[in-house]
Amino acid sequence: MNGTALITGASGGLGSAVALELASRKYRLAVHYHTGRNRIEQVTSRLEAETLTCQADLQDKASIEAMFSKVAAWAAGRLDMVVHCAGVTREALTARVSDAEFDRIVGINLRGAFEVVRLSAAIMAPQGKGQIILISSRAALKGGEGLSAYGASKAGVCGLGLSAARELGAAGIRVNVVLPGFIMSDMGKSASEGAKTKARREHLLERFGSPDDVASFIAWLAGAEAVTGQVFNIDGRPV
Ligand SMILES: NC(=O)c1ccc[n+]([C@@H]2O[C@H](COP(=O)([O-])OP(=O)(O)OC[C@H]3O[C@@H](n4cnc5c(N)ncnc54)[C@H](OP(=O)(O)O)[C@@H]3O)[C@@H](O)[C@H]2O)c1
């Protein structure tokens, strides 16, 4: 067994690919979902690994804390890796983003990631070892029309990850941030036709990204013991 990993958003397109990849590399997996109970059941039915399924709403601190307590009890207090994939977006021009919608997107993507980092570190620090991988987005670096709330939240995730890496290195905890390409998950499919066309056109191979590319990169990163405090762009669109 390679260790115990928690994957948030494992009911989604990217998180499910990460779960399958880590299961094939002999991790014991806690897989998280929010509303996609059927989807997480489909994912776990394909995992050849010891698995715990847990539900949490990233908008609700108590719910995230309860998930970590459940994972810690299941894993006898040991957690080697957290891959935080859960997130949301909704395209809307800045002038049309309501206060509530801005708060929802930033609350789930950034505040949620903040809680995940704090709770992961609390388990990992006494171990003197662990790693946290946060999924951000190209929108953090390049922005995008209709992506001001999403881009702001994901830029925050980069800042969060880089700061956490500096603070947690002394405790043996690695923190890295991964920016996937444009992937045709539910999130990718929900983008406007204009955004999809632009993403494909900007890719130097004129294609979309693949969840498997990101999942294999994450599996590599898992074993890269000297790598921390980095932002990785797993994409074919130049920065
Ligand atoms: N797809 C892309 O092109 C792309 C590009 C760059 C970055 N990303 C980032 O990659 C990550 C994964 O995206 P994806 O493409 O896999 O999207 P996805 O298929 O839509 O999956 C989103 C995941 O987030 C979970 N989630 C949504 N709202 C939540 C909440 N309130 N609390 C807890 N979990 C919640 C969903 O859970 P349920 O389905 O169970 O409700 C699902 O597991 C996201 O952080 C996204 O921003 C995606």
Side-chain angles (χ1 to χ4, degrees), residues 197-235:
T197 306
K198 187 165 182 279
R200 204 182 159 98
R201 199 184 330 114
E202 285 182 351
H203 195 293
L204 300 181
L205 304 175
E206 291 189 28
R207 52 164 288 184
F208 293 117
S210 136
D212 290 341
D213 287 343
V214 181
S216 359
F217 180 81
I218 285 172
W220 171 81
L221 188 54
E225 299 279 348
V227 179
T228 189
Q230 305 300 316
V231 176
F232 294 99
N233 202 26
I234 312 305
D235 201 345

PDB file of all heavy atoms in Angstrom, residues 197-235:
ATOM      1  N   THR A 197     -14.456  26.998 -28.086  1.00  0.00           N
ATOM      2  CA  THR A 197     -13.747  27.213 -29.357  1.00  0.00           C
ATOM      3  C   THR A 197     -12.400  27.871 -29.100  1.00  0.00           C
ATOM      4  O   THR A 197     -11.372  27.471 -29.664  1.00  0.00           O
ATOM      5  CB  THR A 197     -14.605  28.114 -30.278  1.00  0.00           C
ATOM      6  OG1 THR A 197     -15.886  27.507 -30.387  1.00  0.00           O
ATOM      7  CG2 THR A 197     -13.996  28.275 -31.649  1.00  0.00           C
ATOM      8  N   LYS A 198     -12.407  28.875 -28.219  1.00  0.00           N
ATOM      9  CA  LYS A 198     -11.167  29.606 -27.919  1.00  0.00           C
ATOM     10  C   LYS A 198     -10.138  28.659 -27.265  1.00  0.00           C
ATOM     11  O   LYS A 198      -8.960  28.667 -27.641  1.00  0.00           O
ATOM     12  CB  LYS A 198     -11.499  30.759 -26.968  1.00  0.00           C
ATOM     13  CG  LYS A 198     -10.354  31.711 -26.697  1.00  0.00           C
ATOM     14  CD  LYS A 198     -10.901  32.990 -26.063  1.00  0.00           C
ATOM     15  CE  LYS A 198      -9.833  34.008 -25.797  1.00  0.00           C
ATOM     16  NZ  LYS A 198      -9.083  33.781 -24.586  1.00  0.00           N
ATOM     17  N   ALA A 199     -10.607  27.839 -26.342  1.00  0.00           N
ATOM     18  CA  ALA A 199      -9.683  26.929 -25.641  1.00  0.00           C
ATOM     19  C   ALA A 199      -9.030  25.971 -26.628  1.00  0.00           C
ATOM     20  O   ALA A 199      -7.826  25.712 -26.571  1.00  0.00           O
ATOM     21  CB  ALA A 199     -10.433  26.150 -24.565  1.00  0.00           C
ATOM     22  N   ARG A 200      -9.836  25.453 -27.541  1.00  0.00           N
ATOM     23  CA  ARG A 200      -9.304  24.499 -28.529  1.00  0.00           C
ATOM     24  C   ARG A 200      -8.337  25.195 -29.481  1.00  0.00           C
ATOM     25  O   ARG A 200      -7.287  24.656 -29.824  1.00  0.00           O
ATOM     26  CB  ARG A 200     -10.480  23.895 -29.300  1.00  0.00           C
ATOM     27  CG  ARG A 200     -10.166  22.568 -29.889  1.00  0.00           C
ATOM     28  CD  ARG A 200     -11.352  22.030 -30.677  1.00  0.00           C
ATOM     29  NE  ARG A 200     -10.859  21.056 -31.600  1.00  0.00           N
ATOM     30  CZ  ARG A 200     -10.873  19.751 -31.398  1.00  0.00           C
ATOM     31  NH1 ARG A 200     -11.413  19.271 -30.314  1.00  0.00           N
ATOM     32  NH2 ARG A 200     -10.369  18.931 -32.286  1.00  0.00           N
ATOM     33  N   ARG A 201      -8.699  26.408 -29.889  1.00  0.00           N
ATOM     34  CA  ARG A 201      -7.857  27.146 -30.842  1.00  0.00           C
ATOM     35  C   ARG A 201      -6.513  27.514 -30.217  1.00  0.00           C
ATOM     36  O   ARG A 201      -5.473  27.460 -30.872  1.00  0.00           O
ATOM     37  CB  ARG A 201      -8.600  28.407 -31.311  1.00  0.00           C
ATOM     38  CG  ARG A 201      -8.026  28.962 -32.614  1.00  0.00           C
ATOM     39  CD  ARG A 201      -8.664  30.264 -33.088  1.00  0.00           C
ATOM     40  NE  ARG A 201     -10.048  30.493 -32.755  1.00  0.00           N
ATOM     41  CZ  ARG A 201     -10.473  31.459 -31.941  1.00  0.00           C
ATOM     42  NH1 ARG A 201      -9.622  32.276 -31.361  1.00  0.00           N
ATOM     43  NH2 ARG A 201     -11.759  31.620 -31.705  1.00  0.00           N
ATOM     44  N   GLU A 202      -6.543  27.859 -28.928  1.00  0.00           N
ATOM     45  CA  GLU A 202      -5.296  28.287 -28.267  1.00  0.00           C
ATOM     46  C   GLU A 202      -4.358  27.119 -27.958  1.00  0.00           C
ATOM     47  O   GLU A 202      -3.166  27.318 -27.740  1.00  0.00           O
ATOM     48  CB  GLU A 202      -5.620  29.026 -26.958  1.00  0.00           C
ATOM     49  CG  GLU A 202      -6.144  30.425 -27.216  1.00  0.00           C
ATOM     50  CD  GLU A 202      -6.436  31.186 -25.921  1.00  0.00           C
ATOM     51  OE1 GLU A 202      -6.397  30.574 -24.819  1.00  0.00           O
ATOM     52  OE2 GLU A 202      -6.708  32.366 -26.010  1.00  0.00           O
ATOM     53  N   HIS A 203      -4.916  25.920 -27.899  1.00  0.00           N
ATOM     54  CA  HIS A 203      -4.081  24.745 -27.607  1.00  0.00           C
ATOM     55  C   HIS A 203      -3.197  24.470 -28.819  1.00  0.00           C
ATOM     56  O   HIS A 203      -3.676  24.405 -29.945  1.00  0.00           O
ATOM     57  CB  HIS A 203      -4.984  23.543 -27.311  1.00  0.00           C
ATOM     58  CG  HIS A 203      -4.282  22.400 -26.659  1.00  0.00           C
ATOM     59  ND1 HIS A 203      -3.309  21.655 -27.290  1.00  0.00           N
ATOM     60  CD2 HIS A 203      -4.402  21.876 -25.411  1.00  0.00           C
ATOM     61  CE1 HIS A 203      -2.874  20.715 -26.472  1.00  0.00           C
ATOM     62  NE2 HIS A 203      -3.528  20.829 -25.324  1.00  0.00           N
ATOM     63  N   LEU A 204      -1.905  24.315 -28.578  1.00  0.00           N
ATOM     64  CA  LEU A 204      -0.971  24.192 -29.703  1.00  0.00           C
ATOM     65  C   LEU A 204      -1.185  22.911 -30.497  1.00  0.00           C
ATOM     66  O   LEU A 204      -0.733  22.803 -31.636  1.00  0.00           O
ATOM     67  CB  LEU A 204       0.474  24.280 -29.204  1.00  0.00           C
ATOM     68  CG  LEU A 204       0.826  25.603 -28.491  1.00  0.00           C
ATOM     69  CD1 LEU A 204       2.277  25.611 -28.059  1.00  0.00           C
ATOM     70  CD2 LEU A 204       0.532  26.811 -29.378  1.00  0.00           C
ATOM     71  N   LEU A 205      -1.895  21.943 -29.906  1.00  0.00           N
ATOM     72  CA  LEU A 205      -2.224  20.719 -30.642  1.00  0.00           C
ATOM     73  C   LEU A 205      -3.685  20.729 -31.088  1.00  0.00           C
ATOM     74  O   LEU A 205      -4.206  19.706 -31.536  1.00  0.00           O
ATOM     75  CB  LEU A 205      -1.959  19.499 -29.761  1.00  0.00           C
ATOM     76  CG  LEU A 205      -0.536  19.384 -29.200  1.00  0.00           C
ATOM     77  CD1 LEU A 205      -0.420  18.205 -28.243  1.00  0.00           C
ATOM     78  CD2 LEU A 205       0.478  19.252 -30.330  1.00  0.00           C
ATOM     79  N   GLU A 206      -4.351  21.865 -30.895  1.00  0.00           N
ATOM     80  CA  GLU A 206      -5.769  22.045 -31.251  1.00  0.00           C
ATOM     81  C   GLU A 206      -6.638  20.922 -30.698  1.00  0.00           C
ATOM     82  O   GLU A 206      -7.340  20.230 -31.435  1.00  0.00           O
ATOM     83  CB  GLU A 206      -5.918  22.174 -32.772  1.00  0.00           C
ATOM     84  CG  GLU A 206      -5.325  23.473 -33.275  1.00  0.00           C
ATOM     85  CD  GLU A 206      -5.651  23.747 -34.737  1.00  0.00           C
ATOM     86  OE1 GLU A 206      -6.700  23.279 -35.201  1.00  0.00           O
ATOM     87  OE2 GLU A 206      -4.851  24.430 -35.364  1.00  0.00           O
ATOM     88  N   ARG A 207      -6.565  20.752 -29.403  1.00  0.00           N
ATOM     89  CA  ARG A 207      -7.377  19.730 -28.731  1.00  0.00           C
ATOM     90  C   ARG A 207      -7.701  20.216 -27.323  1.00  0.00           C
ATOM     91  O   ARG A 207      -7.177  21.216 -26.859  1.00  0.00           O
ATOM     92  CB  ARG A 207      -6.640  18.389 -28.670  1.00  0.00           C
ATOM     93  CG  ARG A 207      -5.232  18.478 -28.092  1.00  0.00           C
ATOM     94  CD  ARG A 207      -4.696  17.132 -27.695  1.00  0.00           C
ATOM     95  NE  ARG A 207      -5.383  16.643 -26.495  1.00  0.00           N
ATOM     96  CZ  ARG A 207      -5.080  15.516 -25.872  1.00  0.00           C
ATOM     97  NH1 ARG A 207      -4.135  14.739 -26.331  1.00  0.00           N
ATOM     98  NH2 ARG A 207      -5.737  15.152 -24.782  1.00  0.00           N
ATOM     99  N   PHE A 208      -8.576  19.467 -26.640  1.00  0.00           N
ATOM    100  CA  PHE A 208      -8.846  19.764 -25.234  1.00  0.00           C
ATOM    101  C   PHE A 208      -7.882  18.967 -24.360  1.00  0.00           C
ATOM    102  O   PHE A 208      -7.214  18.049 -24.837  1.00  0.00           O
ATOM    103  CB  PHE A 208     -10.288  19.416 -24.884  1.00  0.00           C
ATOM    104  CG  PHE A 208     -11.292  20.295 -25.578  1.00  0.00           C
ATOM    105  CD1 PHE A 208     -12.200  19.759 -26.464  1.00  0.00           C
ATOM    106  CD2 PHE A 208     -11.309  21.666 -25.361  1.00  0.00           C
ATOM    107  CE1 PHE A 208     -13.127  20.566 -27.116  1.00  0.00           C
ATOM    108  CE2 PHE A 208     -12.226  22.487 -26.005  1.00  0.00           C
ATOM    109  CZ  PHE A 208     -13.140  21.931 -26.893  1.00  0.00           C
ATOM    110  N   GLY A 209      -7.831  19.339 -23.082  1.00  0.00           N
ATOM    111  CA  GLY A 209      -7.011  18.591 -22.139  1.00  0.00           C
ATOM    112  C   GLY A 209      -7.689  17.276 -21.784  1.00  0.00           C
ATOM    113  O   GLY A 209      -8.859  17.047 -22.111  1.00  0.00           O
ATOM    114  N   SER A 210      -6.920  16.422 -21.132  1.00  0.00           N
ATOM    115  CA  SER A 210      -7.476  15.129 -20.764  1.00  0.00           C
ATOM    116  C   SER A 210      -7.362  14.941 -19.248  1.00  0.00           C
ATOM    117  O   SER A 210      -6.305  15.231 -18.660  1.00  0.00           O
ATOM    118  CB  SER A 210      -6.711  14.048 -21.530  1.00  0.00           C
ATOM    119  OG  SER A 210      -6.400  12.982 -20.699  1.00  0.00           O
ATOM    120  N   PRO A 211      -8.422  14.440 -18.604  1.00  0.00           N
ATOM    121  CA  PRO A 211      -8.341  14.181 -17.160  1.00  0.00           C
ATOM    122  C   PRO A 211      -7.212  13.206 -16.846  1.00  0.00           C
ATOM    123  O   PRO A 211      -6.555  13.313 -15.809  1.00  0.00           O
ATOM    124  CB  PRO A 211      -9.695  13.554 -16.815  1.00  0.00           C
ATOM    125  CG  PRO A 211     -10.587  13.814 -17.963  1.00  0.00           C
ATOM    126  CD  PRO A 211      -9.749  14.110 -19.163  1.00  0.00           C
ATOM    127  N   ASP A 212      -6.958  12.263 -17.770  1.00  0.00           N
ATOM    128  CA  ASP A 212      -5.906  11.271 -17.517  1.00  0.00           C
ATOM    129  C   ASP A 212      -4.524  11.911 -17.501  1.00  0.00           C
ATOM    130  O   ASP A 212      -3.644  11.483 -16.743  1.00  0.00           O
ATOM    131  CB  ASP A 212      -5.959  10.150 -18.571  1.00  0.00           C
ATOM    132  CG  ASP A 212      -7.200   9.291 -18.381  1.00  0.00           C
ATOM    133  OD1 ASP A 212      -7.779   9.332 -17.284  1.00  0.00           O
ATOM    134  OD2 ASP A 212      -7.585   8.603 -19.331  1.00  0.00           O
ATOM    135  N   ASP A 213      -4.304  12.940 -18.338  1.00  0.00           N
ATOM    136  CA  ASP A 213      -3.010  13.640 -18.315  1.00  0.00           C
ATOM    137  C   ASP A 213      -2.782  14.251 -16.930  1.00  0.00           C
ATOM    138  O   ASP A 213      -1.690  14.175 -16.371  1.00  0.00           O
ATOM    139  CB  ASP A 213      -2.978  14.795 -19.328  1.00  0.00           C
ATOM    140  CG  ASP A 213      -2.873  14.295 -20.750  1.00  0.00           C
ATOM    141  OD1 ASP A 213      -2.499  13.118 -20.942  1.00  0.00           O
ATOM    142  OD2 ASP A 213      -3.168  15.079 -21.670  1.00  0.00           O
ATOM    143  N   VAL A 214      -3.830  14.884 -16.415  1.00  0.00           N
ATOM    144  CA  VAL A 214      -3.706  15.546 -15.109  1.00  0.00           C
ATOM    145  C   VAL A 214      -3.530  14.494 -14.009  1.00  0.00           C
ATOM    146  O   VAL A 214      -2.684  14.640 -13.121  1.00  0.00           O
ATOM    147  CB  VAL A 214      -4.941  16.435 -14.823  1.00  0.00           C
ATOM    148  CG1 VAL A 214      -4.801  17.136 -13.478  1.00  0.00           C
ATOM    149  CG2 VAL A 214      -5.127  17.448 -15.939  1.00  0.00           C
ATOM    150  N   ALA A 215      -4.302  13.404 -14.123  1.00  0.00           N
ATOM    151  CA  ALA A 215      -4.219  12.345 -13.101  1.00  0.00           C
ATOM    152  C   ALA A 215      -2.836  11.712 -13.091  1.00  0.00           C
ATOM    153  O   ALA A 215      -2.254  11.465 -12.025  1.00  0.00           O
ATOM    154  CB  ALA A 215      -5.290  11.283 -13.362  1.00  0.00           C
ATOM    155  N   SER A 216      -2.248  11.463 -14.290  1.00  0.00           N
ATOM    156  CA  SER A 216      -0.902  10.858 -14.268  1.00  0.00           C
ATOM    157  C   SER A 216       0.121  11.851 -13.754  1.00  0.00           C
ATOM    158  O   SER A 216       1.089  11.462 -13.102  1.00  0.00           O
ATOM    159  CB  SER A 216      -0.395  10.324 -15.611  1.00  0.00           C
ATOM    160  OG  SER A 216      -1.275  10.484 -16.606  1.00  0.00           O
ATOM    161  N   PHE A 217      -0.074  13.124 -14.033  1.00  0.00           N
ATOM    162  CA  PHE A 217       0.868  14.113 -13.498  1.00  0.00           C
ATOM    163  C   PHE A 217       0.789  14.120 -11.963  1.00  0.00           C
ATOM    164  O   PHE A 217       1.814  14.172 -11.274  1.00  0.00           O
ATOM    165  CB  PHE A 217       0.587  15.513 -14.047  1.00  0.00           C
ATOM    166  CG  PHE A 217       1.546  16.525 -13.498  1.00  0.00           C
ATOM    167  CD1 PHE A 217       2.813  16.658 -14.040  1.00  0.00           C
ATOM    168  CD2 PHE A 217       1.220  17.281 -12.388  1.00  0.00           C
ATOM    169  CE1 PHE A 217       3.736  17.548 -13.492  1.00  0.00           C
ATOM    170  CE2 PHE A 217       2.131  18.172 -11.836  1.00  0.00           C
ATOM    171  CZ  PHE A 217       3.384  18.310 -12.392  1.00  0.00           C
ATOM    172  N   ILE A 218      -0.429  14.066 -11.443  1.00  0.00           N
ATOM    173  CA  ILE A 218      -0.599  14.078  -9.983  1.00  0.00           C
ATOM    174  C   ILE A 218       0.056  12.840  -9.360  1.00  0.00           C
ATOM    175  O   ILE A 218       0.695  12.922  -8.307  1.00  0.00           O
ATOM    176  CB  ILE A 218      -2.092  14.216  -9.621  1.00  0.00           C
ATOM    177  CG1 ILE A 218      -2.512  15.668  -9.871  1.00  0.00           C
ATOM    178  CG2 ILE A 218      -2.385  13.789  -8.187  1.00  0.00           C
ATOM    179  CD1 ILE A 218      -3.974  15.960  -9.760  1.00  0.00           C
ATOM    180  N   ALA A 219      -0.077  11.712 -10.032  1.00  0.00           N
ATOM    181  CA  ALA A 219       0.568  10.486  -9.515  1.00  0.00           C
ATOM    182  C   ALA A 219       2.088  10.662  -9.514  1.00  0.00           C
ATOM    183  O   ALA A 219       2.770  10.223  -8.574  1.00  0.00           O
ATOM    184  CB  ALA A 219       0.163   9.288 -10.363  1.00  0.00           C
ATOM    185  N   TRP A 220       2.623  11.314 -10.543  1.00  0.00           N
ATOM    186  CA  TRP A 220       4.079  11.579 -10.558  1.00  0.00           C
ATOM    187  C   TRP A 220       4.464  12.515  -9.406  1.00  0.00           C
ATOM    188  O   TRP A 220       5.426  12.270  -8.672  1.00  0.00           O
ATOM    189  CB  TRP A 220       4.490  12.216 -11.899  1.00  0.00           C
ATOM    190  CG  TRP A 220       5.910  12.696 -11.838  1.00  0.00           C
ATOM    191  CD1 TRP A 220       7.038  11.943 -11.995  1.00  0.00           C
ATOM    192  CD2 TRP A 220       6.352  14.030 -11.512  1.00  0.00           C
ATOM    193  NE1 TRP A 220       8.154  12.722 -11.804  1.00  0.00           N
ATOM    194  CE2 TRP A 220       7.769  14.006 -11.504  1.00  0.00           C
ATOM    195  CE3 TRP A 220       5.696  15.224 -11.235  1.00  0.00           C
ATOM    196  CZ2 TRP A 220       8.533  15.137 -11.222  1.00  0.00           C
ATOM    197  CZ3 TRP A 220       6.455  16.350 -10.953  1.00  0.00           C
ATOM    198  CH2 TRP A 220       7.867  16.300 -10.948  1.00  0.00           C
ATOM    199  N   LEU A 221       3.674  13.573  -9.255  1.00  0.00           N
ATOM    200  CA  LEU A 221       3.947  14.577  -8.217  1.00  0.00           C
ATOM    201  C   LEU A 221       3.929  13.929  -6.826  1.00  0.00           C
ATOM    202  O   LEU A 221       4.702  14.294  -5.942  1.00  0.00           O
ATOM    203  CB  LEU A 221       2.893  15.692  -8.324  1.00  0.00           C
ATOM    204  CG  LEU A 221       3.048  16.951  -7.487  1.00  0.00           C
ATOM    205  CD1 LEU A 221       4.413  17.595  -7.687  1.00  0.00           C
ATOM    206  CD2 LEU A 221       1.934  17.950  -7.857  1.00  0.00           C
ATOM    207  N   ALA A 222       3.034  12.943  -6.677  1.00  0.00           N
ATOM    208  CA  ALA A 222       2.927  12.242  -5.390  1.00  0.00           C
ATOM    209  C   ALA A 222       4.272  11.664  -4.961  1.00  0.00           C
ATOM    210  O   ALA A 222       4.598  11.640  -3.774  1.00  0.00           O
ATOM    211  CB  ALA A 222       1.888  11.131  -5.490  1.00  0.00           C
ATOM    212  N   GLY A 223       5.055  11.237  -5.943  1.00  0.00           N
ATOM    213  CA  GLY A 223       6.336  10.604  -5.604  1.00  0.00           C
ATOM    214  C   GLY A 223       7.529  11.547  -5.693  1.00  0.00           C
ATOM    215  O   GLY A 223       8.656  11.135  -5.431  1.00  0.00           O
ATOM    216  N   ALA A 224       7.294  12.794  -6.042  1.00  0.00           N
ATOM    217  CA  ALA A 224       8.401  13.749  -6.223  1.00  0.00           C
ATOM    218  C   ALA A 224       8.707  14.414  -4.883  1.00  0.00           C
ATOM    219  O   ALA A 224       8.264  15.535  -4.590  1.00  0.00           O
ATOM    220  CB  ALA A 224       8.030  14.783  -7.291  1.00  0.00           C
ATOM    221  N   GLU A 225       9.477  13.711  -4.069  1.00  0.00           N
ATOM    222  CA  GLU A 225       9.631  14.055  -2.652  1.00  0.00           C
ATOM    223  C   GLU A 225      10.251  15.430  -2.388  1.00  0.00           C
ATOM    224  O   GLU A 225      10.087  15.984  -1.315  1.00  0.00           O
ATOM    225  CB  GLU A 225      10.487  12.980  -1.948  1.00  0.00           C
ATOM    226  CG  GLU A 225       9.885  11.578  -1.977  1.00  0.00           C
ATOM    227  CD  GLU A 225       8.824  11.369  -0.908  1.00  0.00           C
ATOM    228  OE1 GLU A 225       8.714  12.216  -0.006  1.00  0.00           O
ATOM    229  OE2 GLU A 225       8.097  10.359  -0.993  1.00  0.00           O
ATOM    230  N   ALA A 226      10.982  15.980  -3.381  1.00  0.00           N
ATOM    231  CA  ALA A 226      11.658  17.267  -3.133  1.00  0.00           C
ATOM    232  C   ALA A 226      10.898  18.443  -3.754  1.00  0.00           C
ATOM    233  O   ALA A 226      11.406  19.566  -3.760  1.00  0.00           O
ATOM    234  CB  ALA A 226      13.076  17.225  -3.689  1.00  0.00           C
ATOM    235  N   VAL A 227       9.706  18.173  -4.258  1.00  0.00           N
ATOM    236  CA  VAL A 227       8.982  19.230  -4.979  1.00  0.00           C
ATOM    237  C   VAL A 227       7.864  19.794  -4.109  1.00  0.00           C
ATOM    238  O   VAL A 227       6.944  19.070  -3.708  1.00  0.00           O
ATOM    239  CB  VAL A 227       8.401  18.674  -6.303  1.00  0.00           C
ATOM    240  CG1 VAL A 227       7.624  19.758  -7.036  1.00  0.00           C
ATOM    241  CG2 VAL A 227       9.516  18.130  -7.186  1.00  0.00           C
ATOM    242  N   THR A 228       7.934  21.074  -3.818  1.00  0.00           N
ATOM    243  CA  THR A 228       6.869  21.749  -3.066  1.00  0.00           C
ATOM    244  C   THR A 228       6.867  23.238  -3.399  1.00  0.00           C
ATOM    245  O   THR A 228       7.849  23.769  -3.933  1.00  0.00           O
ATOM    246  CB  THR A 228       7.025  21.514  -1.540  1.00  0.00           C
ATOM    247  OG1 THR A 228       5.844  22.005  -0.881  1.00  0.00           O
ATOM    248  CG2 THR A 228       8.257  22.210  -0.968  1.00  0.00           C
ATOM    249  N   GLY A 229       5.739  23.886  -3.123  1.00  0.00           N
ATOM    250  CA  GLY A 229       5.626  25.329  -3.356  1.00  0.00           C
ATOM    251  C   GLY A 229       5.651  25.695  -4.830  1.00  0.00           C
ATOM    252  O   GLY A 229       6.122  26.771  -5.189  1.00  0.00           O
ATOM    253  N   GLN A 230       5.092  24.807  -5.691  1.00  0.00           N
ATOM    254  CA  GLN A 230       5.129  25.051  -7.137  1.00  0.00           C
ATOM    255  C   GLN A 230       3.713  25.123  -7.707  1.00  0.00           C
ATOM    256  O   GLN A 230       2.769  24.553  -7.158  1.00  0.00           O
ATOM    257  CB  GLN A 230       5.894  23.927  -7.855  1.00  0.00           C
ATOM    258  CG  GLN A 230       7.294  23.702  -7.317  1.00  0.00           C
ATOM    259  CD  GLN A 230       8.186  24.928  -7.445  1.00  0.00           C
ATOM    260  OE1 GLN A 230       8.195  25.593  -8.472  1.00  0.00           O
ATOM    261  NE2 GLN A 230       8.924  25.239  -6.385  1.00  0.00           N
ATOM    262  N   VAL A 231       3.618  25.826  -8.833  1.00  0.00           N
ATOM    263  CA  VAL A 231       2.355  25.881  -9.601  1.00  0.00           C
ATOM    264  C   VAL A 231       2.643  25.238 -10.953  1.00  0.00           C
ATOM    265  O   VAL A 231       3.536  25.697 -11.672  1.00  0.00           O
ATOM    266  CB  VAL A 231       1.881  27.333  -9.784  1.00  0.00           C
ATOM    267  CG1 VAL A 231       0.637  27.389 -10.658  1.00  0.00           C
ATOM    268  CG2 VAL A 231       1.594  27.981  -8.427  1.00  0.00           C
ATOM    269  N   PHE A 232       1.911  24.184 -11.285  1.00  0.00           N
ATOM    270  CA  PHE A 232       2.171  23.437 -12.524  1.00  0.00           C
ATOM    271  C   PHE A 232       1.019  23.623 -13.516  1.00  0.00           C
ATOM    272  O   PHE A 232      -0.146  23.404 -13.179  1.00  0.00           O
ATOM    273  CB  PHE A 232       2.307  21.946 -12.213  1.00  0.00           C
ATOM    274  CG  PHE A 232       3.502  21.610 -11.377  1.00  0.00           C
ATOM    275  CD1 PHE A 232       3.371  21.426 -10.009  1.00  0.00           C
ATOM    276  CD2 PHE A 232       4.761  21.492 -11.949  1.00  0.00           C
ATOM    277  CE1 PHE A 232       4.472  21.099  -9.222  1.00  0.00           C
ATOM    278  CE2 PHE A 232       5.877  21.176 -11.172  1.00  0.00           C
ATOM    279  CZ  PHE A 232       5.729  20.986  -9.811  1.00  0.00           C
ATOM    280  N   ASN A 233       1.390  23.967 -14.715  1.00  0.00           N
ATOM    281  CA  ASN A 233       0.414  24.193 -15.775  1.00  0.00           C
ATOM    282  C   ASN A 233       0.371  22.950 -16.661  1.00  0.00           C
ATOM    283  O   ASN A 233       1.283  22.721 -17.447  1.00  0.00           O
ATOM    284  CB  ASN A 233       0.910  25.408 -16.576  1.00  0.00           C
ATOM    285  CG  ASN A 233      -0.188  26.083 -17.338  1.00  0.00           C
ATOM    286  OD1 ASN A 233      -1.355  26.015 -16.967  1.00  0.00           O
ATOM    287  ND2 ASN A 233       0.165  26.732 -18.418  1.00  0.00           N
ATOM    288  N   ILE A 234      -0.680  22.122 -16.525  1.00  0.00           N
ATOM    289  CA  ILE A 234      -0.760  20.869 -17.282  1.00  0.00           C
ATOM    290  C   ILE A 234      -1.670  21.127 -18.476  1.00  0.00           C
ATOM    291  O   ILE A 234      -2.844  20.751 -18.502  1.00  0.00           O
ATOM    292  CB  ILE A 234      -1.322  19.724 -16.390  1.00  0.00           C
ATOM    293  CG1 ILE A 234      -0.602  19.694 -15.055  1.00  0.00           C
ATOM    294  CG2 ILE A 234      -1.174  18.369 -17.092  1.00  0.00           C
ATOM    295  CD1 ILE A 234       0.893  19.583 -15.138  1.00  0.00           C
ATOM    296  N   ASP A 235      -1.119  21.778 -19.464  1.00  0.00           N
ATOM    297  CA  ASP A 235      -1.950  22.335 -20.532  1.00  0.00           C
ATOM    298  C   ASP A 235      -1.133  22.418 -21.818  1.00  0.00           C
ATOM    299  O   ASP A 235       0.096  22.284 -21.785  1.00  0.00           O
ATOM    300  CB  ASP A 235      -2.395  23.754 -20.096  1.00  0.00           C
ATOM    301  CG  ASP A 235      -3.642  24.222 -20.841  1.00  0.00           C
ATOM    302  OD1 ASP A 235      -4.009  23.615 -21.863  1.00  0.00           O
ATOM    303  OD2 ASP A 235      -4.240  25.214 -20.391  1.00  0.00           O
TER     304      ASP A 235
END
